[in-house]
Amino acid sequence: NAGVTQTPKFRVLKTGQSMTLLCAQDMNHEYMYWYRQDPGMGLRLIHYSVGEGTTAKGEVPDGYNVSRLKKQNFLLGLESAAPSQTSVYFCASSWEIPYGYTFGSGTRLTVV
Amino acid sequence: SQQGEEDPQALSIQEGENATMNCSYKTSINNLQWYRQNSGRGLVHLILIRSNEREKHSGRLRVTLDTSKKSSSLLITASRAADTASYFCATDAGTGRRALTFGSGTRLQVQP
Protein backbone atom coordinates (compact mmCIF):
# COMPACT_ATOMS: atom_id res chain seq x y z
CA ASN A 1 0.00 0.00 0.00
CA ALA A 2 1.21 3.48 -0.82
CA GLY A 3 2.13 5.60 2.14
CA VAL A 4 4.75 6.32 4.74
CA THR A 5 6.59 3.48 6.41
CA GLN A 6 8.54 3.87 9.63
CA THR A 7 11.01 1.39 11.04
CA PRO A 8 11.36 0.21 13.71
CA LYS A 9 7.96 0.41 15.41
CA PHE A 10 9.33 -0.04 18.92
CA ARG A 11 12.77 0.33 20.44
CA VAL A 12 14.31 0.46 23.89
CA LEU A 13 17.69 2.17 24.19
CA LYS A 14 20.07 2.65 27.05
CA THR A 15 21.24 6.15 27.83
CA GLY A 16 24.16 7.04 25.59
CA GLN A 17 23.36 4.55 22.83
CA SER A 18 22.76 5.68 19.28
CA MET A 19 20.17 4.69 16.74
CA THR A 20 18.63 5.66 13.43
CA LEU A 21 14.95 5.81 12.63
CA LEU A 22 14.05 5.25 9.01
CA CYS A 23 11.16 6.82 7.17
CA ALA A 24 10.30 5.80 3.61
CA GLN A 25 7.56 7.16 1.36
CA ASP A 26 6.51 5.96 -2.06
CA MET A 27 4.32 8.90 -3.12
CA ASN A 28 7.11 10.98 -4.68
CA HIS A 29 6.51 13.68 -2.09
CA GLU A 30 9.01 16.51 -1.95
CA TYR A 31 8.57 17.41 1.71
CA MET A 32 9.30 15.15 4.66
CA TYR A 33 9.11 15.80 8.38
CA TRP A 34 10.00 14.32 11.74
CA TYR A 35 7.81 15.10 14.75
CA ARG A 36 7.80 13.83 18.28
CA GLN A 37 4.65 13.40 20.32
CA ASP A 38 4.66 13.58 24.09
CA PRO A 39 1.60 13.28 26.36
CA GLY A 40 -0.34 16.54 26.54
CA MET A 41 2.03 18.38 24.22
CA GLY A 42 0.78 17.53 20.77
CA LEU A 43 3.35 17.15 18.01
CA ARG A 44 6.58 19.11 17.95
CA LEU A 45 8.68 19.47 14.82
CA ILE A 46 12.23 18.11 15.08
CA HIS A 47 13.61 18.49 11.56
CA TYR A 48 12.19 18.67 8.08
CA SER A 49 13.27 18.54 4.45
CA VAL A 50 11.90 20.38 1.43
CA GLY A 51 13.65 18.15 -1.08
CA GLU A 52 16.38 15.62 -1.68
CA GLY A 53 19.66 16.72 -0.15
CA THR A 54 18.09 19.44 2.02
CA THR A 55 17.33 19.53 5.73
CA ALA A 56 16.23 22.23 8.15
CA LYS A 57 15.78 22.54 11.90
CA GLY A 58 12.41 22.53 13.51
CA GLU A 59 11.22 23.50 16.96
CA VAL A 60 13.16 20.89 18.98
CA PRO A 61 16.25 19.83 16.96
CA ASP A 62 18.80 19.42 19.75
CA GLY A 63 20.11 15.89 20.14
CA TYR A 64 18.93 14.80 16.69
CA ASN A 65 20.42 14.74 13.21
CA VAL A 66 18.78 13.97 9.90
CA SER A 67 19.69 13.10 6.34
CA ARG A 68 17.76 13.05 3.07
CA LEU A 69 20.14 11.43 0.59
CA LYS A 70 17.30 9.97 -1.45
CA LYS A 71 13.98 11.63 -2.12
CA GLN A 72 11.99 8.73 -0.71
CA ASN A 73 13.92 8.35 2.55
CA PHE A 74 14.34 10.59 5.57
CA LEU A 75 16.53 9.33 8.41
CA LEU A 76 16.46 10.57 11.99
CA GLY A 77 19.50 9.87 14.12
CA LEU A 78 20.06 10.01 17.84
CA GLU A 79 23.78 10.13 18.50
CA SER A 80 23.66 9.75 22.31
CA ALA A 81 20.19 8.93 23.56
CA ALA A 82 18.87 10.58 26.71
CA PRO A 83 15.77 9.74 28.80
CA SER A 84 14.26 13.06 27.66
CA GLN A 85 14.11 11.59 24.15
CA THR A 86 11.61 8.95 25.26
CA SER A 87 8.68 9.68 22.99
CA VAL A 88 6.65 8.58 20.01
CA TYR A 89 8.25 9.70 16.76
CA PHE A 90 6.20 10.35 13.66
CA CYS A 91 7.38 10.84 10.14
CA ALA A 92 5.19 12.59 7.59
CA SER A 93 5.42 13.62 3.97
CA SER A 94 3.59 15.99 1.64
CA TRP A 95 3.76 17.40 -1.88
CA GLU A 96 4.40 20.82 -0.41
CA ILE A 97 2.54 23.29 1.73
CA PRO A 98 -0.46 23.74 1.67
CA TYR A 99 -1.21 20.10 1.00
CA GLY A 100 -2.08 17.79 3.84
CA TYR A 101 0.45 15.44 5.37
CA THR A 102 0.54 11.67 5.16
CA PHE A 103 1.80 10.23 8.42
CA GLY A 104 3.55 7.00 9.26
CA SER A 105 2.33 4.82 12.11
CA GLY A 106 5.04 5.98 14.50
CA THR A 107 8.05 4.65 16.40
CA ARG A 108 7.72 4.29 20.15
CA LEU A 109 11.16 4.89 21.67
CA THR A 110 12.02 4.39 25.31
CA VAL A 111 15.39 5.48 26.65
CA VAL A 112 16.30 3.97 30.01
CA SER B 1 5.57 26.66 21.91
CA GLN B 2 2.33 25.48 20.32
CA GLN B 3 0.80 27.69 17.66
CA GLY B 4 -2.63 26.10 18.01
CA GLU B 5 -4.47 25.34 21.21
CA GLU B 6 -7.54 23.14 21.13
CA ASP B 7 -10.49 23.49 23.42
CA PRO B 8 -11.78 21.48 25.15
CA GLN B 9 -8.93 19.12 25.98
CA ALA B 10 -11.42 16.27 26.32
CA LEU B 11 -15.01 15.80 25.22
CA SER B 12 -17.42 12.94 25.91
CA ILE B 13 -20.74 12.70 24.05
CA GLN B 14 -23.38 10.15 23.15
CA GLU B 15 -23.63 8.58 19.71
CA GLY B 16 -25.79 10.71 17.44
CA GLU B 17 -24.88 13.99 19.12
CA ASN B 18 -22.77 16.68 17.51
CA ALA B 19 -19.21 17.33 18.64
CA THR B 20 -17.57 20.74 18.42
CA MET B 21 -13.89 21.35 18.93
CA ASN B 22 -12.18 24.72 18.84
CA CYS B 23 -8.69 25.80 17.91
CA SER B 24 -7.06 29.13 18.61
CA TYR B 25 -3.76 30.23 17.14
CA LYS B 26 -1.39 33.13 17.61
CA THR B 27 0.00 34.35 14.31
CA SER B 28 -1.45 34.98 10.86
CA ILE B 29 -1.77 31.87 8.72
CA ASN B 30 -2.02 30.72 5.11
CA ASN B 31 -4.19 27.76 5.96
CA LEU B 32 -5.36 25.60 8.84
CA GLN B 33 -5.78 21.85 8.80
CA TRP B 34 -7.52 19.31 11.01
CA TYR B 35 -6.22 15.81 11.68
CA ARG B 36 -7.57 12.76 13.50
CA GLN B 37 -5.49 10.29 15.49
CA ASN B 38 -6.84 6.97 16.63
CA SER B 39 -5.17 5.50 19.69
CA GLY B 40 -1.71 4.16 18.86
CA ARG B 41 -1.87 5.26 15.24
CA GLY B 42 -0.51 8.03 13.06
CA LEU B 43 -2.47 11.16 12.25
CA VAL B 44 -4.88 11.25 9.34
CA HIS B 45 -5.59 14.43 7.40
CA LEU B 46 -9.27 15.43 7.52
CA ILE B 47 -9.70 18.85 5.98
CA LEU B 48 -7.82 22.00 4.98
CA ILE B 49 -9.25 25.49 5.05
CA ARG B 50 -7.42 28.42 3.48
CA SER B 51 -7.14 31.82 5.11
CA ASN B 52 -9.55 33.36 2.58
CA GLU B 53 -12.24 30.76 3.29
CA ARG B 54 -14.74 30.99 6.12
CA GLU B 55 -16.37 27.57 6.04
CA LYS B 56 -15.75 24.19 4.51
CA HIS B 57 -17.62 20.89 4.54
CA SER B 58 -16.56 17.32 4.05
CA GLY B 59 -19.18 14.65 4.72
CA ARG B 60 -20.17 14.98 8.39
CA LEU B 61 -17.38 17.48 9.04
CA ARG B 62 -17.80 21.21 9.04
CA VAL B 63 -14.87 23.54 9.62
CA THR B 64 -15.07 27.28 10.16
CA LEU B 65 -12.27 29.80 10.24
CA ASP B 66 -12.35 33.28 11.73
CA THR B 67 -9.04 34.97 10.97
CA SER B 68 -10.02 38.12 12.86
CA LYS B 69 -10.32 36.05 16.04
CA LYS B 70 -7.53 33.66 15.06
CA SER B 71 -9.76 30.70 15.70
CA SER B 72 -11.26 27.68 13.97
CA SER B 73 -13.85 25.12 14.89
CA LEU B 74 -14.43 21.54 13.81
CA LEU B 75 -17.97 20.23 13.98
CA ILE B 76 -18.69 16.53 13.64
CA THR B 77 -22.40 15.93 13.11
CA ALA B 78 -24.31 12.79 14.07
CA SER B 79 -21.26 11.32 15.80
CA ARG B 80 -20.52 7.60 15.80
CA ALA B 81 -18.50 5.43 18.16
CA ALA B 82 -15.91 5.17 15.37
CA ASP B 83 -15.31 8.93 15.67
CA THR B 84 -13.63 8.31 19.04
CA ALA B 85 -10.13 9.71 18.56
CA SER B 86 -7.94 12.71 19.23
CA TYR B 87 -8.35 15.68 16.92
CA PHE B 88 -5.60 18.17 16.18
CA CYS B 89 -5.53 21.47 14.39
CA ALA B 90 -2.37 22.45 12.53
CA THR B 91 -1.42 25.80 11.09
CA ASP B 92 0.72 26.90 8.20
CA ALA B 93 2.09 30.34 8.99
CA GLY B 94 3.41 30.72 5.46
CA THR B 95 6.67 32.33 6.47
CA GLY B 96 9.98 31.04 7.75
CA ARG B 97 9.65 27.42 8.77
CA ARG B 98 7.88 25.55 5.99
CA ALA B 99 6.07 23.04 8.13
CA LEU B 100 2.83 22.75 10.05
CA THR B 101 2.61 23.61 13.73
CA PHE B 102 0.24 21.34 15.65
CA GLY B 103 -1.89 22.02 18.67
CA SER B 104 -2.16 19.77 21.70
CA GLY B 105 -5.40 18.13 20.58
CA THR B 106 -8.91 17.34 21.79
CA ARG B 107 -9.70 13.81 22.94
CA LEU B 108 -13.20 12.88 21.79
CA GLN B 109 -15.02 9.93 23.31
CA VAL B 110 -18.29 8.92 21.65
CA GLN B 111 -20.36 6.62 23.86
CA PRO B 112 -22.43 4.01 21.99
Side-chain angles (χ1 to χ4, degrees):
Chain A
N1 291 336
V4 177
T5 303
Q6 291 184 233
T7 53
K9 295 190 185 305
F10 302 94
R11 185 73 185 268
V12 178
L13 283 181
K14 293 182 178 179
T15 298
Q17 286 185 321
S18 63
M19 77 164 294
T20 300
L21 283 68
L22 172 63
C23 176
Q25 54 94 4
D26 59 4
M27 297 168 286
N28 203 34
H29 284 170
E30 287 292 338
Y31 287 34
M32 297 188 74
Y33 316 84
W34 278 106
Y35 287 85
R36 59 177 288 174
Q37 184 176 34
D38 301 294
M41 298 192 71
L43 279 74
R44 291 183 292 169
L45 181 67
I46 305 171
H47 287 280
Y48 66 101
S49 167
V50 300
E52 181 179 313
T54 74
T55 62
K57 293 181 179 179
E59 185 184 356
V60 288
D62 293 343
Y64 305 95
N65 57 76
V66 287
S67 64
R68 183 103 181 266
L69 298 179
K70 293 183 179 180
K71 186 176 184 178
Q72 63 268 34
N73 296 335
F74 196 28
L75 279 63
L76 178 70
L78 286 73
E79 292 183 344
S80 180
S84 60
Q85 294 177 304
T86 293
S87 187
V88 181
Y89 292 85
F90 286 101
C91 176
S93 69
S94 69
W95 287 111
E96 63 178 61
I97 290 178
Y99 295 93
Y101 289 4
T102 300
F103 277 85
S105 57
T107 295
R108 185 173 297 274
L109 175 66
T110 302
V111 183
V112 298
Chain B
S1 62
Q2 300 294 326
Q3 159 76 315
E5 295 295 334
E6 285 90 339
D7 171 61
Q9 290 187 324
L11 180 62
S12 182
I13 60 174
Q14 297 294 318
E15 211 166 23
E17 294 180 339
N18 295 341
T20 300
M21 288 157 270
N22 303 296
C23 169
S24 60
Y25 56 92
K26 299 173 184 175
T27 66
S28 61
I29 59 171
N30 278 354
N31 68 79
L32 184 145
Q33 303 180 27
W34 285 90
Y35 288 78
R36 183 188 74 232
Q37 183 181 33
N38 291 89
S39 181
R41 301 291 189 90
L43 282 73
V44 175
H45 180 254
L46 295 176
I47 197 166
L48 179 153
I49 186 165
R50 299 176 191 270
S51 60
N52 60 354
E53 297 175 311
R54 291 297 168 258
E55 188 171 311
K56 206 162 183 181
H57 297 254
S58 177
R60 293 184 297 113
L61 305 181
R62 173 181 168 247
V63 169
T64 62
L65 179 64
D66 187 334
T67 54
S68 67
K69 295 182 180 179
K70 291 187 171 58
S71 67
S72 174
S73 67
L74 171 67
L75 168 67
I76 304 174
T77 60
S79 62
R80 305 165 181 168
D83 294 327
T84 294
S86 291
Y87 292 82
F88 295 87
C89 68
T91 55
D92 163 27
T95 59
R97 187 176 300 149
R98 301 184 70 183
L100 295 176
T101 301
F102 286 82
S104 53
T106 292
R107 294 188 305 279
L108 173 65
Q109 177 76 42
V110 181
Q111 307 286 352

